[in-house]
Amino acid sequence: MTQKSIVVVDPHFRRMEEIFSPGDLARLHDTVQVVWGKDVAMPLEEFSAALPEAIAVVTAGWRYGDILHHASKLRAIIDLAGAFPRTLNYQQCYDRRIRVLTAAPGFARGVAEMALGLALSAGREIAAGDRAMREGTEGWEHAGNIETFSLYGKRVGFIGYGSLARCLRPLLAPFGCHISVYDPWLGAGYLRSQAVQPVDLESLLDHSRVIFVLASPTAENAALLSRPLLERIQPGAVLVLISRAHVVDFEALTELLLAGRFKAAIDVFPQEPLEIDHPIRQASNAVLSAHRAGSVREALWDLGEMVVDDLEAIARGLPPQRLQAAQPEIIARYTSR
Amino acid sequence: MTQKSIVVVDPHFRRMEEIFSPGDLARLHDTVQVVWGKDVAMPLEEFSAALPEAIAVVTAGWRYGDILHHASKLRAIIDLAGAFPRTLNYQQCYDRRIRVLTAAPGFARGVAEMALGLALSAGREIAAGDRAMREGTEGWEHAGNIETFSLYGKRVGFIGYGSLARCLRPLLAPFGCHISVYDPWLGAGYLRSQAVQPVDLESLLDHSRVIFVLASPTAENAALLSRPLLERIQPGAVLVLISRAHVVDFEALTELLLAGRFKAAIDVFPQEPLEIDHPIRQASNAVLSAHRAGSVREALWDLGEMVVDDLEAIARGLPPQRLQAAQPEIIARYTSR
Amino acid sequence: MTQKSIVVVDPHFRRMEEIFSPGDLARLHDTVQVVWGKDVAMPLEEFSAALPEAIAVVTAGWRYGDILHHASKLRAIIDLAGAFPRTLNYQQCYDRRIRVLTAAPGFARGVAEMALGLALSAGREIAAGDRAMREGTEGWEHAGNIETFSLYGKRVGFIGYGSLARCLRPLLAPFGCHISVYDPWLGAGYLRSQAVQPVDLESLLDHSRVIFVLASPTAENAALLSRPLLERIQPGAVLVLISRAHVVDFEALTELLLAGRFKAAIDVFPQEPLEIDHPIRQASNAVLSAHRAGSVREALWDLGEMVVDDLEAIARGLPPQRLQAAQPEIIARYTSR
Amino acid sequence: MTQKSIVVVDPHFRRMEEIFSPGDLARLHDTVQVVWGKDVAMPLEEFSAALPEAIAVVTAGWRYGDILHHASKLRAIIDLAGAFPRTLNYQQCYDRRIRVLTAAPGFARGVAEMALGLALSAGREIAAGDRAMREGTEGWEHAGNIETFSLYGKRVGFIGYGSLARCLRPLLAPFGCHISVYDPWLGAGYLRSQAVQPVDLESLLDHSRVIFVLASPTAENAALLSRPLLERIQPGAVLVLISRAHVVDFEALTELLLAGRFKAAIDVFPQEPLEIDHPIRQASNAVLSAHRAGSVREALWDLGEMVVDDLEAIARGLPPQRLQAAQPEIIARYTSR
């Protein structure tokens, strides 16, 4: 029997059992020889000692500095944090044929579920109706449906079309929504091949009854949804802010919501935890959630399953299939900000 | 050109514009000659005068007494209330070949959407998380996901498999749930043909992570979910009560929820409006809604569309296709209680 | 234990084991007390003797004359032939509350599969290509694809939208076809609710790349596809004739095919077996099949499963769910010819 | 306005109008400055002259030798032949960050359609039934269905799970088949994430009613389906050989078919054109096709659309999304044979 390949697993700030289901943890140990595999951060000297023999490093952020010249057997760096590490020397990875992979798509199903749940909660006023029941101010039947609407057949806009959008699309399919997409990093041909309509951002905001903000944060999209753009949103439409608060002018959003211009469901905030006296906490037409979309237990286990699946492939000399590989063009855009 | 057929449209307690979208209202008048067509209840003498010439009566409840011997041209009685009228002489209808049709399935899409929204709100704690944000007691990320769960791949139970269930099933399909059904009025073969698993009620309660109560009220199912049965529900599972409160022992349900035995989402109550001091209003593990599932505007318009579609068919001498026809065996069970 | 209900099962011209899988046959005997249950036709006097106690009769055609006044317990007459019997007194059935049910929808899946197979065989020239390979006249790669086309995204027309069409629609769904329907017995609203486009027959013929003839034969639709209408079909389009030859002017169809005007796939003929020297046998642009769409073994077993499922319901005093019930308006149109 | 990027388009042996629909051809010229763009092969000296300024080369095979050191702006080599070129220096491409892309997935939809059409033609004996109609030897109805079977609910096996399999899977979905997959280059976790069952090859052959050979040819899989393995196929099962004849022991296959051991549908042969007197031409239980699955007109245009979509992305400095990129591990296995 051949010796197992060595993989450094240093998940800190995540925890082993949060990432790996019992079944996947067993499979991980069957597949490769795990070095470290503990919840606390691996000391740098131990990492340095282990790196030369490792075929892969699994980690939540790259805290190890400029050390890849020692990584003679390394074939993959796998991110558990949910984004490509900023502190990594990608040129060196490309030169050394080390794949940089993120497990971010593993969060996508759980976030997509939450996005749908938030959209329904806003459109059908589920959270607001529940508050009213507790306060004894509820309206019954039609009296409780003056401002509500149903998703069926509505025009929906996606801002960003990455792994999250690809998981949300099938959840919306049985509602028969017409989906428009704004994503400057994807060609119109590709978007049409996904059965969505490429549009410009203004048109998306003008015409959508539900707008899902699904874009990853980049230098280019900071406060992309500026006050003038937010003002284009239809009265009564719902803005679901689920990827990053970075993408909107949050102050403008807060003011527009307090003025009752449209509805929203918000899972991400410019500062987390959110200030206790932030005025958005009182916006009655917004559903608020404390960055809880991606961290449901099963989502983290999805991520662990993908990591083990791809380590299985890498250990056998096959290309990974489930994690997302860093594309130089995209990394360049991230890092050029 | 032939004369249009006469149809009495007496929607009270519903309203014309609530039921018929502007487009369907125009189509209604194009298709048949509408008698009455007003929101207030039609006086009985006017109804009696119009009945002999009418091919159909559209109404929300049968308030006209034993009058069908005058209905010599009548081919259909169409209910807008959402249930077959209790006060109708069905034997007379069968003898006179008058179809009794209900628009109840028109509510099904809107109720199914709400059922999914409530299930997601309970499973992912969307309403509770929103309350916490307003009170400043929220847990962020994993700290806000201690008790949450995701629908993907879960075992789901349907109590009752009528039009509501048939609309809910496709909404759950992208989540890959395994659906078990308890419905004593349907054969196992039919249920399997619908790609659901027929099971007994005990097994459904024991094994489901989400339980949807979708059964219409009948004499047989009053308080069907008794205290001993409710006690079988798994800790942390979600009971979505969306068809009628009649089906559960509501007092037992309230106590079990206040004791934290499982979670719930409840749209229907034994008394509506619910007493202002009913203890369930304080159950923190329940999402509460003031009977708002079926009365979203678009659902009522779905219903109107179905009524006009079937009047179109009836006026042309064709069988109706969209409304639900009274089946003698089912009506007998309703009325024999 | 209560006594089982009595059901007369007289399947001739079909055979018991052709209709009922071993599993369904066992289930049939568990569910009801079967009288007769043999392949040869039941003698009339035995039938007369059994009828008064029977709750249902399962038969392939009604060969028993005017005898229903003896059928005091009868609740259903179930057809196995694939069409509502012409020789039955329907008024008497309605008066006595006897449901007339046909297992015709049980054939629909098998016929729909064949319809898709024939369409692909015509569009991609599978049968013609196979003949060429045997004759040594085949064209390789592009040379063999001069006249072929792919179904993806094409405009497709359905003539008739009954159980067969409802089974074919999902098989076409992954090809992303746009489906237009001509069915004079169904309202536009109902058709739109099925996600198909109601159109007139001329428009359907003018614009469809594949035309499926799915209509049941009636007095009204004899030779509905007349020579002038057939001449509207686009060059290179495919006509799939799968329900009944009755619906087309077969002589005109033959001539147009021999003239190379369009393509076809034909499973049904005006006379069966077809004359050995019928000229259509030489039409090189037609795929020919000897009325084999509905008689694949599994289709017949589908039908048996539906019969047992509904006998299960009827024996328990519940309405049948799977077989198709005779609608007076439709029967009237059948029988008024 | 900035100058357009330069792309060499040298499609020989394919032709421009066969690859690019009129719409995509216009879009190609809008997007980039096309050099060459003719059907005849580009002379090497012209190619050499154009290469230093080109950002991409679109070609059907690499006929230009060791010339990449001049390709200072090159970002992509795009294959139109349907397979990664064997004659390319991949190490040099990796070193120079030149992506090697194949349009092979563009063929996948058309091939998948043909695979389904062939499977239905074999299972339902459409081609054989058509031959019988022409010879006057056909069996009508059940007499023509003695050996046929329906796809619904059957166990199906895929040998290879690449782009072709991913296009075939949705076409089979409405038939409710259980799909098992043998693919030694993919992990079990990935396959399960695709809702297919990873199995070993023996088990797949033993249990599948329809077996689709979908694997690309490699050194490892020459005659993978050896005589002993072919002998495991169930009597009456269907082998659909659609990717490459390389994967089977074709002599053994021919003998087994002539012996009537199972059925087959074959689009690819060890020598093409096939010898005119090859005995398989007389196998009555095989559907034969002259390598016509991938070359249907629309499939080639799918491929052209993908090429233009990705040139659009590359010209804007974005990563390609639609074409398949060479993975070093896979290329190494191809070229190490």
Side-chain angles (χ1 to χ4, degrees), chain D residues 38-109:
Chain D
K38 302 177 193 173
D39 292 348
V40 295
M42 191 176 187
L44 190 53
E45 64 205 54
E46 291 199 44
F47 183 86
S48 302
L51 186 61
E53 294 301 315
I55 65 156
V57 170
V58 180
T59 183
W62 184 262
R63 301 174 286 98
Y64 316 109
D66 185 4
I67 195 177
L68 289 177
H69 47 282
H70 295 303
S72 54
K73 298 186 177 173
L74 199 65
R75 298 217 292 277
I77 294 169
I78 297 177
D79 159 69
L80 295 174
F84 290 111
R86 304 289 165 144
T87 53
L88 192 62
N89 184 335
Y90 285 87
Q91 287 305 325
Q92 216 172 356
C93 292
Y94 305 148
D95 287 343
R96 302 184 76 94
R97 310 277 150 78
I98 299 166
R99 278 197 178 82
V100 186
L101 302 166
T102 177
F107 292 107
R109 291 205 317 167

Side-chain angles (χ1 to χ4, degrees), chain A residues 228-282:
Chain A
L229 284 175
L230 290 171
E231 285 174 346
R232 301 184 79 128
I233 294 175
Q234 293 176 20
V238 171
L239 180 78
V240 181
L241 180 56
I242 193 104
S243 60
R244 292 291 168 94
H246 166 95
V247 182
V248 299
D249 177 339
F250 205 84
E251 190 180 317
L253 174 61
T254 303
E255 288 177 24
L256 289 164
L257 288 174
L258 289 172
R261 290 288 295 271
F262 50 81
K263 298 180 179 185
I266 304 174
D267 189 54
V268 285
F269 299 88
Q271 180 187 326
E272 295 180 359
L274 182 69
E275 304 91 299
I276 201 77
D277 57 354
H278 194 290
I280 206 165
R281 289 191 189 254
Q282 302 317 320

Side-chain angles (χ1 to χ4, degrees), chain A residues 118-142:
Chain A
L118 288 171
L120 292 172
S121 196
R124 300 296 303 265
E125 296 185 357
I126 292 173
D130 175 77
R131 286 202 310 273
M133 285 290 286
R134 289 162 202 282
E135 295 164 0
T137 59
E138 75 275 5
W140 289 83
E141 304 202 33
H142 300 92

Side-chain angles (χ1 to χ4, degrees), chain B residues 248-327:
Chain B
V248 299
D249 176 340
F250 204 84
E251 191 180 316
L253 174 62
T254 303
E255 288 176 24
L256 289 165
L257 288 174
L258 289 173
R261 289 288 295 269
F262 49 81
K263 297 179 179 187
I266 304 175
D267 190 54
V268 285
F269 299 87
Q271 181 186 325
E272 295 179 359
L274 182 68
E275 303 91 299
I276 200 76
D277 57 353
H278 194 290
I280 206 165
R281 288 191 188 256
Q282 302 317 319
S284 61
N285 50 349
V287 184
L288 304 177
S289 171
H291 203 153
R292 300 186 308 117
S295 40
V296 69
R297 182 194 315 268
E298 293 95 333
L300 287 167
W301 282 3
D302 278 1
L303 183 155
E305 182 191 87
M306 291 166 69
V307 168
V308 181
D309 286 348
D310 274 358
L311 286 175
E312 210 173 82
I314 292 165
R316 292 173 57 209
L318 294 171
Q321 297 284 343
R322 303 201 63 196
L323 300 163
Q324 182 184 353
Q327 302 275 19

Side-chain angles (χ1 to χ4, degrees), chain C residues 10 18 28 35 46 62 70 74 85 97 103 109 118 167 190 202 241 328 332:
Chain C
D10 177 25
E18 166 188 296
L28 174 67
V35 170
E46 290 199 43
W62 183 261
H70 295 303
L74 199 66
R97 311 276 152 77
R109 293 205 316 166
L118 288 171
C167 283
Y190 170 70
E202 289 76 8
L241 180 56

Side-chain angles (χ1 to χ4, degrees), chain B residues 27 75 91 94-95 97 99 166 183-190 192-193 305 309-310 312-314 316-322 326-330 333, chain C residues 27 75 91 94-95 97 99 166 183-190 192-193 305 309-310 312-314 316-322 326-330 333:
Chain B
R27 198 156 59 98
R75 298 217 293 276
Q91 287 304 325
Y94 305 148
D95 287 342
R97 310 278 151 76
R99 277 196 179 85
R166 289 193 300 271
D183 191 324
W185 291 4
L186 295 171
Y190 170 69
R192 278 189 290 262
S193 79
E305 182 191 87
D309 286 348
D310 274 358
E312 210 173 82
I314 292 165
R316 292 173 57 209
L318 294 171
Q321 297 284 343
R322 303 201 63 196
Q327 302 275 19
E329 295 89 340
I330 299 296
R333 292 184 179 225
Chain C
R27 199 157 57 100
R75 298 217 293 277
Q91 287 305 325
Y94 305 148
D95 287 342
R97 311 276 152 77
R99 279 196 178 85
R166 288 193 302 270
D183 190 323
W185 290 6
L186 294 172
Y190 170 70
R192 278 190 290 262
S193 79
E305 182 191 87
D309 286 348
D310 275 357
E312 210 173 82
I314 292 166
R316 292 173 54 210
L318 295 170
Q321 297 284 343
R322 304 201 63 195
Q327 303 276 19
E329 296 89 341
I330 298 297
R333 293 184 178 223

Side-chain angles (χ1 to χ4, degrees), chain C residues 246-305:
Chain C
H246 166 94
V247 182
V248 299
D249 176 340
F250 205 84
E251 190 180 318
L253 174 61
T254 303
E255 287 177 25
L256 289 165
L257 288 174
L258 290 172
R261 290 287 296 269
F262 49 82
K263 297 180 179 186
I266 304 175
D267 189 55
V268 285
F269 299 87
Q271 180 187 325
E272 296 180 359
L274 182 69
E275 304 91 299
I276 201 75
D277 57 353
H278 194 290
I280 206 166
R281 289 190 187 256
Q282 303 317 319
S284 61
N285 50 351
V287 184
L288 304 176
S289 172
H291 203 152
R292 300 187 307 117
S295 40
V296 68
R297 183 194 312 269
E298 293 95 332
L300 287 167
W301 283 1
D302 278 1
L303 184 153
E305 182 191 87

